[in-house]
Amino acid sequence: MSAPVRQGGAEAKPRTASAPDNARPRHILLIEDTPSLQMVYRSVLASAGHRVAVAGTAAEGLARFHEVTPSVVLLDLMLPDRDGLDLMQDMLRLRPETNVIVITANGSINKAVEAMRAGAHEFLVKPFDEQRFLGAVENASQARTPRQPRRAVPEPEAPVVLSGSFLGSSDAMERIQSKIRSAARSMATVFITGESGTGKELCALAVHANSPRASGPFIALNCGAIPQDLLESEVFGHVKGSFTGAIADKPGAAAAADGGTLFLDEICEMAPALQTKLLRFLQTSTVQPVGATRPRKVNVRIVCATNRDPLDAVRRGHFREDLYYRLYVVPVHMPPLRERGDDVIEIAEAALSRFAAEEGREFTGLDPEVAALFRRHPWPGNVRQVLNVIRNVVVLNDGGLVTPRMLPDDFSDQDLPVDVALPGALPTSSEPILNGLIGRTLAEIEQIVIEATIARHGGSVPKAARVLDVSPSTLYRKRESWKG
């Protein structure tokens, strides 16, 4: 087994400080097979005002679970008589409202992630310090029941609360809504992937709206749209005078999201130095603004997103592996619109109704020819492109049935042009574009497309960034890396 809880590099000793006035003793069940760790964990918990029951095996733990009805279970996944994950699932079947914190060693992080997906509230990786330990227990103790008990007669599942254009009845979207329904009730981090324009932020909003934190704030931060030298201040805040331009205290996104959800978009664009601080924040649930001398504890649920392959970013050294495992607990992949069947019609009709009301116009729907055209179109810009097309129609036309002639001049049911000459592509301009990309790595294809887009816009990186739906700083960093 790994080393026990540590405090300042030494084995933790019982604290004499009393529990906060508003903290009531809570039943905690500790299931740990190492006597020395049992003693340390129990001492730390007792000194914080918790009532602790201890078990050394899975069988004993299940018996104590029935006896004490704990609100929180601390469960070591490596038990001598049974797999800890199986034990956790049995306990959650008996009392789904129980919050389980799993404890594991460094070499078993994948097991901890599996436990989070199976319903664990949080996980701790040994060795951990006392502050992290008590913080996890306190968050679990204060969490409202994240899961509803199962009933003998199944009831219809509550519909997912949707917002904006997060619509669709396709099988793919039904699977996503089912996953959101399950994940929203827990504290597990949700990691959303998908192409630009597929609705990743709307997915994050749906997770928040269907969670016990729905009444709390939803704070969104685009990690790729903020200059790296200001990103730490945006996330963690700063105090007045901490740097040039800091004319007043600023709480930061993490503190602003206290009691709610913090959505970190384009997470893979975060600078390595800030990734380290984000990992520390996830481990301790505390933020320390730039220039501040003391950290502040917050209670925040993290949802993040990227249009890149996060595991590929880890392999390339652009994203910390330990941060990846901490965040990549409940993955949700938003499919491109071209794979969602008739969802495009549902989205277009909803957008038509909304935009017409905003502009004071009266539209009656989509012409069958337009609907067929929409179904055939590849929609490289995904949902965002649909909204732009419908907005254009509503603004430039008086109303009635949407016909093909109302569509924007640059809209076509054809795929991307086949005669685009890309820098570095092998074929001549008369050959299909894909022939010049087959056999190349994704990194090479990315460079070709980025450079071609910049060239098409007269060398303007900001204009190219708008077309590619990324921040200019992302393109500047990529081009700098290619020079090296």
Side-chain angles (χ1 to χ4, degrees):
M1 302 294 290
S2 297
V5 175
R6 296 184 180 276
Q7 181 181 24
E11 186 173 305
K13 299 178 180 179
R15 297 184 304 172
T16 57
S18 59
D21 293 338
N22 62 348
R24 295 186 296 107
R26 302 177 180 90
H27 277 300
I28 308 292
L29 174 58
L30 169 64
I31 306 175
E32 165 64 60
D33 66 325
T34 304
S36 61
L37 293 181
Q38 282 185 8
M39 181 181 67
V40 173
Y41 296 162
R42 184 173 190 169
S43 173
V44 171
L45 290 168
S47 66
H50 298 290
R51 290 179 290 184
V52 187
V54 178
T57 65
E60 185 185 357
L62 191 56
R64 299 306 304 274
F65 183 76
H66 285 288
E67 292 171 7
V68 302
T69 315
S71 60
V72 177
V73 175
L74 286 158
L75 173 64
D76 194 312
L77 290 179
M78 303 298 292
L79 296 173
D81 58 335
R82 190 180 177 194
D83 184 87
L85 183 57
D86 290 340
L87 174 61
M88 182 194 78
Q89 291 172 328
D90 281 352
M91 291 189 294
L92 291 180
R93 274 192 290 270
L94 290 167
R95 282 198 293 275
E97 68 276 12
T98 306
N99 289 315
V100 180
I101 301 173
V102 298
I103 301 174
T104 187
N106 265 314
S108 305
I109 293 179
N110 286 338
K111 191 78 171 178
V113 171
E114 184 182 352
M116 291 288 286
R117 291 173 180 168
H121 180 84
E122 177 62 286
F123 72 88
L124 297 171
V125 179
K126 301 176 183 177
F128 41 81
D129 60 28
E130 182 180 344
Q131 183 182 35
R132 168 64 176 144
F133 181 61
L134 290 176
V137 172
E138 190 64 27
N139 285 340
S141 299
Q142 293 178 354
R144 297 174 184 173
T145 52
R147 293 168 290 274
Q148 295 301 317
R150 299 181 185 273
R151 299 177 182 268
V153 179
E155 294 182 347
E157 289 184 309
V160 172
V161 178
L162 302 178
S163 59
S165 305
F166 193 66
L167 303 172
S169 304
S170 63
D171 290 344
M173 289 304 292
E174 286 185 359
R175 287 193 295 271
I176 287 174
Q177 291 176 22
S178 175
K179 184 173 284 192
I180 288 173
R181 189 181 295 111
S182 299
R185 296 191 293 264
S186 77
M187 274 290 290
T189 302
V190 176
F191 200 120
I192 307 167
T193 57
E195 297 177 6
S196 294
T198 50
K200 294 188 290 296
E201 182 167 351
L202 292 174
C203 178
L205 276 165
V207 171
H208 173 74
N210 289 274
S211 75
R213 297 168 170 265
S215 59
F218 176 88
I219 304 298
L221 194 66
N222 189 321
C223 300
I226 300 170
Q228 293 295 341
D229 55 345
L230 295 179
L231 191 53
E232 181 180 359
S233 170
E234 291 294 326
V235 177
F236 300 118
H238 62 253
V239 298
K240 180 179 179 180
S242 56
F243 55 85
T244 302
I247 58 176
D249 289 352
K250 180 175 181 177
D258 194 9
T261 302
L262 175 61
F263 174 53
L264 299 174
D265 199 6
E266 291 195 41
I267 185 71
C268 288
E269 306 303 323
M270 184 175 284
L274 192 56
Q275 290 178 31
T276 303
K277 295 184 179 181
L278 177 60
L279 181 62
R280 178 66 179 168
F281 165 58
L282 294 172
Q283 292 171 337
T284 64
S285 298
T286 60
V287 296
Q288 185 161 349
V290 178
T293 57
R294 293 183 179 179
R296 170 192 169 185
K297 189 173 181 61
V298 295
N299 184 359
V300 172
R301 200 267 180 84
I302 300 292
V303 177
C304 54
T306 181
N307 57 15
R308 298 172 59 184
D309 178 354
L311 192 55
D312 182 63
V314 171
R315 294 191 190 104
R316 293 173 178 273
H318 299 158
F319 199 66
R320 289 181 62 116
E321 185 176 16
D322 48 2
L323 181 58
Y324 167 80
Y325 282 117
R326 172 62 68 171
L327 293 173
Y328 201 78
V329 177
V330 180
V332 176
H333 179 70
M334 294 298 297
L337 191 56
R338 59 185 174 273
E339 297 177 4
R340 291 173 51 183
D342 279 353
D343 282 0
V344 62
I345 306 303
E346 189 175 339
I347 293 168
E349 289 177 341
L352 182 65
S353 175
R354 190 178 90 212
F355 295 156
E358 291 176 2
E359 299 292 339
R361 310 286 170 87
E362 291 188 7
F363 285 85
T364 56
L366 304 178
D367 182 278
E369 188 177 348
V370 171
L373 184 62
F374 279 12
R375 291 187 185 97
R376 292 196 304 269
H377 194 74
W379 298 107
N382 292 294
V383 176
R384 187 178 293 119
Q385 185 182 4
V386 178
L387 301 183
N388 289 343
V389 168
I390 298 300
R391 173 73 81 177
N392 180 285
V393 168
V394 171
V395 169
L396 298 181
N397 296 275
D398 294 330
L401 199 65
V402 177
T403 61
R405 69 169 186 80
M406 295 182 181
L407 299 178
D409 293 338
D410 58 355
F411 183 83
S412 163
D413 66 341
Q414 300 301 313
D415 202 344
L416 297 174
V418 299
D419 60 347
V420 178
L422 297 180
L426 296 177
T428 64
S429 60
S430 63
E431 295 177 285
I433 186 173
L434 286 179
N435 288 348
L437 302 179
I438 299 298
R440 292 175 176 267
T441 66
L442 285 175
E444 289 173 331
I445 293 172
E446 180 186 60
Q447 182 176 359
I448 288 171
V449 172
I450 288 175
E451 293 293 355
T453 306
I454 293 173
R456 174 168 287 189
H457 290 83
S460 171
V461 171
K463 289 181 179 179
R466 284 196 293 273
V467 171
L468 295 170
D469 195 31
V470 297
S471 68
S473 62
T474 298
L475 299 188
Y476 284 123
R477 285 200 307 276
K478 287 182 180 295
R479 299 187 89 190
E480 197 64 35
S481 68
W482 294 333
K483 292 178 184 178

